[in-house]
Amino acid sequence: MKPFFSGLICLLLVFSCKTEKNETPITEEKKEQTIAEKIANAHGFENWKNVEEVKFTFKVDRDTIKGKGRSWIWNPKQDNVTMRAGETTVTYNRSQMDSTHISADRGFINDKYWLLVPFQLVWDTSATISKPQKAESPVAKEQLDMITILYANQGGYTPGDAYDIYYDDNYMIKEWVFRKGNSVEPTLTNTFENYIDYNGIKIATDHKKDGGSVDLNFTEVRITLSELNYGIAVGPCN
């Protein structure tokens, strides 16, 4: 009988060890967010997955002269785009473009980039992003963090361009410098002002050029979320 009881005790010990092992909680190591992800998330990137439609008008006002602008409707999940500019209306799908859509699509890429640059930092995976450093912002002369996003010399509508992006301690973009073709001298310097929260997506609706005479701005902005989980919500959240 001794061997039987010894074997039984061994089995119970093995079972006990396995049970204890299974009860040990498994902790997953959290991956540190990149600077690009921190900036994107500060501007509401976690809500982008619920966006069904984006509407906005891109305008450039010079002194007292108000620009007429270009109006856009974009369905990001299908990548359908409609542009209205003056008497012209163009509708196309970005995966099925032909040569007649190139001009409109150039305008769309430009205007969308201004609208959603914090998200472009994570969307544009082919671009390189520098390590952050402290720098004086060109317009307000504030000490801010700065990164540079540099695009490859091939592909896209403006290859080789660079943007110096200045952001605060909350990872909100305050200013940027556009350098065409990665030139040493700035091509364009603008502020990021008048942030408005559109259903969790935070957008700077004014971009003033150094000196203040030129205001690149967005009007008639609407962000529509998925009806399945959120219902229809289109206006800014005050």
Side-chain angles (χ1 to χ4, degrees):
M1 296 296 288
K2 237 179 182 182
F4 173 77
F5 284 113
S6 298
L8 183 61
I9 289 167
C10 288
L11 283 172
L12 289 170
L13 287 171
V14 169
F15 179 77
S16 175
C17 291
K18 283 185 177 179
T19 304
E20 286 177 10
K21 188 176 180 182
N22 290 339
E23 288 176 353
T24 303
I26 299 172
T27 56
E28 291 185 10
E29 191 176 333
K30 264 195 171 183
K31 187 180 176 184
E32 177 67 21
Q33 290 185 343
T34 65
I35 291 297
E37 289 170 335
K38 288 178 180 179
I39 293 172
N41 287 331
H43 292 79
F45 186 65
E46 69 276 7
N47 298 308
W48 182 256
K49 63 183 180 296
N50 304 314
V51 174
E52 291 290 336
E53 184 178 84
V54 179
K55 294 182 180 180
F56 64 96
T57 297
F58 174 94
K59 295 169 58 183
V60 180
D61 299 334
R62 301 175 188 275
D63 295 317
T64 57
I65 302 171
K66 301 295 182 183
K68 293 181 179 178
R70 292 182 290 228
S71 295
W72 301 95
I73 301 173
W74 177 36
N75 302 106
K77 287 182 170 61
Q78 296 80 28
D79 226 358
N80 294 325
V81 177
T82 296
M83 180 199 76
R84 292 190 180 91
E87 300 298 316
T88 302
T89 299
V90 178
T91 298
Y92 62 100
N93 182 279
R94 297 202 68 242
S95 65
Q96 302 170 2
M97 291 195 305
D98 58 37
S99 58
T100 64
H101 302 135
I102 296 299
S103 177
D105 196 57
R106 281 180 181 273
F108 173 68
I109 293 299
N110 176 81
D111 300 358
K112 174 180 72 77
Y113 197 97
W114 280 91
L115 185 81
L116 299 171
V117 64
F119 300 169
Q120 297 291 162
L121 294 176
V122 293
W123 286 336
D124 297 342
T125 55
S126 62
T128 59
I129 297 176
S130 70
K131 291 183 178 179
Q133 60 178 332
K134 286 289 183 183
E136 184 179 84
S137 65
V139 180
K141 309 300 181 187
E142 293 181 89
Q143 283 294 314
L144 297 171
D145 289 300
M146 185 199 79
I147 56 171
T148 296
I149 179 168
L150 177 63
Y151 287 88
N153 289 322
Q154 294 181 341
Y157 292 130
T158 54
D161 290 345
Y163 297 83
D164 302 321
I165 295 174
Y166 297 80
Y167 59 95
D168 64 17
D169 292 341
N170 295 316
Y171 299 97
M172 298 298 291
I173 298 176
K174 308 301 286 185
E175 299 179 23
W176 78 354
V177 172
F178 165 59
R179 295 184 288 112
K180 186 172 177 60
N182 196 21
S183 63
V184 176
E185 294 300 318
T187 307
L188 194 64
T189 301
N190 290 83
T191 63
F192 279 61
E193 300 180 40
N194 193 19
Y195 272 96
I196 297 178
D197 188 324
Y198 297 93
N199 300 314
I201 308 293
K202 297 172 185 175
I203 292 173
T205 55
D206 283 287
H207 301 274
K208 294 177 181 176
K209 192 176 177 182
D210 191 5
S213 61
V214 178
D215 180 13
L216 187 153
N217 59 87
F218 294 98
T219 62
E220 301 171 319
V221 180
R222 295 289 183 271
I223 306 289
T224 304
L225 303 183
S226 170
E227 290 185 51
L228 181 62
N229 297 317
Y230 294 91
I232 299 175
V234 296
C237 300
N238 297 319

